[in-house]
Amino acid sequence: TGEVDIAFNLAPDHVPVIRAAGHIAAIESAPFVASMGLFTVDFANKWGGKPPFADKRVRQAANYALNKDAMVGQLLGGLGKPASQPAVPTTFGYNSDLKPYPYDPEKAKRLLAEAGYPNGFDILMETSGVFGAAGDIFQVMASDLAKVGINVTINVMPFSERTKLFNGNSWKGDITSFTSFFSPPQDASIPFSVYGCDLPNTFTCIPKLTPLIKAQANEMDPEKRLEILKELMKLSNEEALALYLFEGFDITGVSKRIAGYKNWNKVIHY
């Protein structure tokens, strides 16, 4: 309608509407990974101290259960790319040798059975919509997980409420959206401000990662630190640190009356 100059965080299905009205829909790579944090901490004391995602096989099963290619192609208009690690190609420490988990629901079922969940289990997702098309993504993700026996109840809340749960360690659920924004430092260590066993508000503790997390934090030689981060990305993939969805991109609506628009590392010039 021409009432807005610049609109952020739009969904793929907004693109043709904006362009049909004569405005600009700018589609740009963004420094974040859309992912879901898998709780290895039993916050609500409902798993006897050992939640399902504390088991590597269960975390891997959840990743194998997701048809990420279909998710990206159908819900994101083919604009995104399935993620393989908690970093993007522009991030210092990204490991280009890693591949996303392929869609393999049968392998997911086998892993769940090996982990002691042949009939699956029920979980609660406490989350907020932190990226475009989040609602649709959550529904498709829950559908894919249900096909292998992981039944998800979704509770979407305002980001402020989710922040209270995080700061208070008062989660009732088992999984939440966690999107790592690498701007402005563009460093692959950013996600480990949450994913770390020594942190007061962690929801995912994988002890095997701790030595590499500490090593990258203390290494002052950039080349040596780069190799440590790449190894950390590799181990994060192997351990299925999170439920990786897709590498980030931004869709921004720009009014045709705006001149000189440029998005530089999530800083808007116009």
Side-chain angles (χ1 to χ4, degrees):
T1 62
E3 295 180 3
V4 173
D5 293 320
I6 300 176
F8 300 101
N9 201 29
L10 302 182
D13 57 3
H14 292 143
V15 172
V17 178
I18 293 168
R19 290 176 175 172
H23 302 297
I24 298 166
I27 303 167
E28 301 152 319
S29 176
F32 72 87
V33 175
S35 59
M36 305 298 295
L38 306 174
F39 294 1
T40 65
V41 181
D42 188 8
F43 292 102
N45 296 314
K46 60 183 180 180
W47 300 104
K50 189 176 180 181
F53 293 122
D55 192 311
K56 170 183 174 178
R57 294 167 295 185
V58 178
R59 298 192 301 271
Q60 290 177 330
N63 274 281
Y64 282 120
L66 292 192
N67 189 344
K68 299 173 188 176
D69 288 329
M71 184 184 296
V72 168
Q74 297 172 19
L75 297 182
L76 302 178
L79 302 177
K81 180 181 177 183
S84 63
Q85 58 195 284
V88 294
T90 56
T91 310
F92 184 81
Y94 178 82
N95 190 329
S96 59
D97 294 332
L98 302 178
K99 305 296 182 186
Y101 276 77
Y103 178 51
D104 194 339
E106 293 307 314
K107 186 169 185 177
K109 292 177 184 177
R110 290 197 301 271
L111 286 167
L112 289 175
E114 290 174 13
Y117 300 98
N119 300 315
F121 52 89
D122 300 337
I123 59 172
L124 171 64
M125 179 196 300
E126 294 179 296
T127 189
S128 54
V130 292
F131 45 80
D136 292 336
I137 292 286
F138 295 154
Q139 293 296 332
V140 169
M141 185 181 71
S143 176
D144 282 351
L145 290 173
K147 292 174 184 175
V148 303
I150 303 176
N151 303 304
V152 185
T153 298
I154 303 174
N155 179 13
V156 179
M157 62 188 68
F159 190 77
S160 58
E161 292 301 313
R162 180 186 171 282
T163 301
K164 290 179 182 178
L165 296 180
F166 173 72
N167 289 335
N169 284 339
S170 53
W171 303 97
K172 298 180 178 65
D174 311 278
I175 183 173
T176 189
S177 56
F178 181 69
T179 298
S180 305
F181 284 94
F182 301 101
S183 176
Q186 295 284 10
D187 193 277
S189 66
I190 297 297
F192 299 95
S193 62
V194 171
Y195 295 132
C197 297
D198 300 330
L199 301 169
N201 297 106
T202 189
F203 45 67
T204 303
C205 166
I206 301 176
K208 286 182 69 174
L209 299 178
T210 301
L212 288 173
I213 294 172
K214 290 182 176 180
Q216 65 81 27
N218 293 316
E219 180 56 64
M220 299 303 292
D221 183 292
E223 293 302 321
K224 291 180 181 179
R225 185 169 178 272
L226 177 62
E227 294 308 311
I228 295 172
L229 285 171
K230 287 184 177 180
E231 187 63 26
L232 180 58
M233 295 299 103
K234 179 182 177 182
L235 191 57
S236 296
N237 177 283
E238 293 172 357
E239 289 288 324
L241 170 68
L243 195 56
Y244 304 119
L245 301 179
F246 58 89
E247 294 178 359
F249 64 94
D250 287 330
I251 301 176
T252 306
V254 183
S255 170
K256 55 190 173 186
R257 65 172 173 262
I258 297 298
Y261 167 83
K262 181 181 179 181
N263 180 347
W264 185 85
N265 201 14
K266 298 190 85 67
V267 176
I268 305 300
H269 302 259
Y270 63 96

